[in-house]
Amino acid sequence: MPAGLSAPAGHKPVLDAADIGRAVTRIAHEILERTRGAEDVILLGIPTRGVPLAQRLAACMEQVEGRPVPAGSVDITMYRDDLRLRPARALGHTDLPSAGIEGKTVVLVDDVLYSGRTVRAALDALNDLGRPRAVRLAVLVDRGHRELPIRADYVGKNLPTSQREVVRVLLAEVDGQDAVLLGESPEPCLPGRQESDTGPSGRQETTPGHSGRQEGARA
Amino acid sequence: MNRHLISAGDLTRDDALLILDTADELAHVSERPIKKLPTLRGRTVVNLFFEDSTRTRISFEAAAKRLSADVINFSAKGSSVAKGESLKDTALTLEAMGADAVVVRHSAAGTPHRLANWVRGSIVNAGDGAHEHPTQALLDAFTIRRRLCPTGTAGATGATGSTGRTGTGGLDGLKVTIVGDILHSRVARSNVLLLSTLGAEVTLIAPPTLLPYEVSGWPCATGYDLDATLPKSDVVMMLRVQRERMNAAYFPSEREYSRRYGLDAARMALLPEHAIVMHPGPMNRGVEIAAEVADSTRSTIVEQVANGVSIRMAVLYLLLGGHEPAHSEPVRSEPAGVTA
C-alpha cells in the first residue's frame, strides 16, 4: 500500500496495489484468450466495486488488442433476495453499452464472490435486459462459502476464509487506494450477510443474503 | 423517509434527492423491451380515487405494475361509497384486504392524513382538495432537473466518476415561476414546498383574487405582473384555471384572464433561451396556455407524464421495497474520499 494510507485497525492486507494490478492484467489476458480476442464481449461490473474493476479490465484488454472493449454496469438492487429484510435501499447505476447485450458474451465483474447471491441476482437482471449468447463471471477475490451453484470463470485470487473473517476490497476509484484486506469479525458471519459498513467507503455494500443482521463479508 | 407521503413539506432535501436519483435509474426501465422489475412481487397497491383523474391514476397503476405489485383500482363511482359508505369503513375494508400502500385522491383536504390513522399500509397522497399533490411536485422537480441541470458530475473527484449519473443534486438557484390559479391549486403548494427544499427560488404570479391569504407564510415570492417576471425565469409553470372549484367570480372574463396571465407565443419570447414551459395538465388550451406554446419544443408537458411514472415507481419502491421505507443518507452525494 502507498505510504500514508493504512488499513483499518484489525485488518491485515492480503493483496496490495501491485498484486491487484497483476491479477487484473492476468484476468484480462485470460478473457482475451478464451474469447479469441474478446470479440462480442461486454464487461458489466456490479456496483459498487465491480464497476471500476470492469473498466480496468476493459482498458487492459484494449491495450493488448488495440480496439475498445465495451464496459458498463448492471445494478442488481431490485433483484436481491433479501430486500424485505432491510429498509428499502438506494439504487446503483445501470449503464449498458449502446449496442445492448443481445447475442453478446457478457462477463460479469465483481470484487468478491461469497454466497453467490449477488451473481444470482445479476443473472436475473440480465434476463430482463436481453438475451446474451453467454454469461461469464470474473471476480477479484473468491472467498468460498457458496450458497448457490455458482462458480467464477476468472478469479484474481482464491482466498480461503472462515466465515468469521471479513474480506474488504478497496479500489482507488472508490476508496482512494487499492488493497484487499482480511479482518476478523466479532461474530461469525454467514455468507450472504454482511457487516454494516464502518469502513472507509462509508457505503453499505452487501450480497443478497438471508439475514438482515450485521454483515461480515466484503465492502 | 416517512412511512407515508402526504405532504411535499415532509420531505427533507435528502429524501427528495433520494427519490429523484431513484427515479433517474428507474426511468431506464421504461426504455427497455421488458418494462418490468420483480421488486414488489406480492405487494398490494390500492388506487383509491374519490375524484376524477386520468394521468395520475394511470401513472400510479403503470408504476405499480412495472414493479410487479398487485394493483386494485377503486373509484368512488360504482362503489359502496355511492351507497353512502363512510371513508373510515372504506378504509377498514382496504385494511382487511391487506393493502400495503393506498394511493388516495379526494376532494377534501386532509383525507390522506385521516386515512393514515386507520390503515397500516403506506398512504400516498395523489391529491387532496386544494391542499397537496406531492408526487406531481416530485415529477416536476425531476423534469426540471433532467432538462436544466447539467449531465453528470463525471469530472468530479473519486467515486462519482464511476457512477456518472444524469443530473445529480438539487435545483439550487433556479428561478421557477408558477402562474395562475394558485388559490385552488394543490400542485402549486406542493411545488412551492418541494422546490424551495431543493434550493429553487419560486415566484407565484396570479391575479390577486387567486392568491391564497396565507401565501405570505410560504417560502416563495409573489407578484401580479407576468411580463416583468418572465425574462428572469428558468422555468415557467402554467396552472389550469379550476372552474370546478370556483364558486365565485375571481376574474371578469376568461378572455381577460388569458390576456393578462395566459402564456402565448409573444410572452414565451420574453423567456430566456434555455427556459422551459411546464403544465401539470389537464390544460385548457387557449386559456392559460396557447396551443402553439403547449406544442413547442420548450414545453415539457408530455415529458412530465412520462416522468410521472418513473417518480411514482421510485416512491412506491422506496416506501415498499424493504421492510421499512428507505433511509436517506445525508452524506450520499459526497465522494467516498480517501481512507484515514
Side-chain angles (χ1 to χ4, degrees):
Chain A
M1 258 175 290
L5 298 169
S6 60
H11 288 67
K12 75 170 193 286
V14 188
L15 300 181
D16 63 15
D19 296 329
I20 292 175
R22 282 190 286 269
V24 167
T25 309
R26 179 174 51 74
I27 293 174
H29 279 97
E30 280 179 20
I31 296 173
L32 286 172
E33 191 183 347
R34 283 195 233 165
T35 58
R36 293 161 196 271
E39 216 163 293
D40 282 341
V41 164
I42 289 179
L43 299 165
L44 289 182
I46 299 172
T48 304
R49 288 171 185 73
V51 182
L53 279 176
Q55 285 159 353
R56 289 187 194 187
L57 283 171
C60 189
M61 287 160 73
E62 182 176 349
Q63 236 174 22
V64 177
E65 282 303 296
R67 59 185 169 76
V69 178
S73 62
V74 57
D75 179 51
I76 57 128
T77 310
M78 301 293 255
Y79 295 88
R80 301 174 77 104
D81 60 6
D82 64 345
L83 282 171
R84 300 287 167 84
L85 300 172
R86 291 159 157 269
R89 46 189 115 201
L91 300 183
H93 187 54
T94 295
D95 174 26
L96 293 186
S98 52
I101 60 170
E102 205 68 34
K104 304 285 170 62
T105 298
V106 170
V107 180
L108 290 171
V109 185
D110 204 359
D111 53 354
V112 179
L113 181 58
Y114 189 16
S115 65
R117 287 172 191 266
T118 305
V119 178
R120 200 274 318 156
L123 290 172
D124 280 359
L126 284 183
N127 200 30
D128 283 355
L129 293 170
R131 185 176 183 279
R133 194 172 60 77
V135 182
R136 309 280 181 233
L137 175 62
V139 295
L140 183 60
V141 174
D142 181 351
R143 62 168 297 191
H145 305 291
R146 216 76 74 237
E147 291 172 354
L148 293 170
I150 280 169
R151 177 182 61 78
D153 301 278
Y154 309 97
V155 179
K157 166 93 176 159
N158 276 304
L159 195 62
T161 55
S162 88
Q163 295 186 349
R164 295 192 69 88
E165 285 168 319
V166 181
V167 176
R168 183 186 291 286
V169 171
L170 306 179
L171 293 175
E173 293 91 330
V174 181
D175 309 292
Q177 60 170 318
D178 275 6
V180 176
L181 309 174
L182 189 61
E184 200 70 26
S185 157
E187 55 174 313
C189 105
L190 299 172
R193 71 171 149 102
Q194 314 239 308
E195 68 189 358
S196 64
D197 199 327
T198 52
S201 74
R203 281 198 63 165
Q204 201 114 328
E205 180 67 19
T206 58
T207 45
H210 42 226
S211 163
R213 277 163 287 167
Q214 289 297 290
E215 58 174 311
R218 44 158 246 220
Chain B
M1 274 176 73
N2 283 336
R3 191 157 59 90
H4 308 293
L5 178 58
I6 291 174
S7 162
D10 294 342
L11 296 171
T12 63
R13 186 182 162 99
D14 292 315
D15 289 340
L17 288 177
L18 177 64
I19 296 172
L20 297 188
D21 290 347
T22 305
D24 241 329
E25 288 303 325
L26 292 174
H28 298 299
V29 174
S30 306
E31 295 158 10
R32 296 183 346 195
I34 300 171
K35 299 177 183 56
K36 195 106 176 156
L37 291 164
T39 318
L40 295 188
R41 227 170 38 189
R43 302 277 206 206
T44 304
V45 175
V46 175
N47 283 328
L48 184 61
F49 278 66
F50 293 95
E51 211 184 47
D52 295 337
S53 161
T54 317
R55 72 205 75 222
T56 306
R57 189 179 56 75
I58 290 176
S59 180
F60 268 109
E61 186 171 350
K65 285 183 170 167
R66 283 186 189 171
L67 292 170
S68 304
D70 296 319
V71 183
I72 298 175
N73 284 315
F74 174 104
S75 59
K77 277 173 204 142
S79 73
S80 293
V81 173
K83 300 179 193 162
E85 188 175 62
S86 72
L87 178 67
K88 180 161 189 180
D89 290 326
T90 307
L92 293 177
T93 308
L94 300 177
E95 177 68 13
M97 285 180 185
D100 295 294
V102 179
V103 177
V104 60
R105 166 167 292 191
H106 200 287
S107 56
T111 305
H113 184 80
R114 219 61 190 110
L115 272 178
N117 296 320
W118 291 329
V119 300
R120 236 171 306 149
S122 293
I123 302 292
V124 180
N125 183 359
D128 58 334
H131 179 227
E132 285 229 38
H133 192 356
T135 56
Q136 177 71 42
L138 283 163
L139 78 88
D140 289 338
F142 184 63
T143 306
I144 295 171
R145 195 171 80 156
R146 288 203 131 192
R147 275 278 188 125
L148 296 181
C149 297
T151 308
T153 46
T157 48
T160 42
S162 59
T163 54
R165 293 160 183 275
T166 53
T168 46
L171 305 174
D172 301 284
L174 283 178
K175 293 186 171 56
V176 181
T177 304
I178 304 179
V179 189
D181 187 356
I182 312 289
L183 181 64
H184 299 102
S185 177
R186 51 197 174 207
V187 176
R189 186 193 307 258
S190 287
N191 260 308
V192 166
L193 294 170
L194 181 74
L195 297 178
S196 62
T197 300
L198 288 170
E201 295 163 27
V202 184
T203 306
L204 302 175
I205 300 287
T209 51
L210 287 176
L211 275 177
Y213 293 118
E214 75 275 16
V215 81
S216 53
W218 294 10
C220 63
T222 53
Y224 309 124
D225 187 351
L226 181 56
D227 289 335
T229 317
L230 286 176
K232 294 176 283 185
S233 306
D234 300 303
V235 176
V236 56
M237 189 182 298
M238 305 306 297
L239 300 176
R240 184 172 64 92
V241 175
Q242 303 199 29
R243 299 210 147 273
E244 75 274 19
R245 294 190 212 278
M246 290 188 183
N247 49 12
Y250 289 92
F251 44 82
S253 74
E254 210 163 74
R255 231 176 112 213
E256 182 167 336
Y257 176 86
S258 179
R259 283 262 284 280
R260 299 220 23 207
Y261 295 101
L263 191 67
D264 55 16
R267 281 220 169 88
M268 189 168 68
L270 296 175
L271 285 167
E273 198 70 34
H274 65 274
I276 57 171
V277 177
M278 308 181 75
H279 194 303
M283 47 183 168
N284 294 325
R285 286 173 185 248
V287 183
E288 71 270 4
I289 189 165
E292 51 195 325
V293 176
D295 299 330
S296 76
T297 51
R298 287 177 162 203
S299 139
T300 61
I301 297 165
V302 178
E303 232 168 288
Q304 283 170 271
V305 177
N307 289 341
V309 177
S310 306
I311 277 290
R312 285 160 185 137
M313 283 173 79
V315 168
L316 290 174
Y317 166 67
L318 293 170
L319 290 178
L320 302 181
H323 69 76
E324 60 178 272
H327 305 302
S328 51
E329 303 167 48
V331 291
R332 194 171 39 82
S333 54
E334 287 168 22
V338 179
T339 324

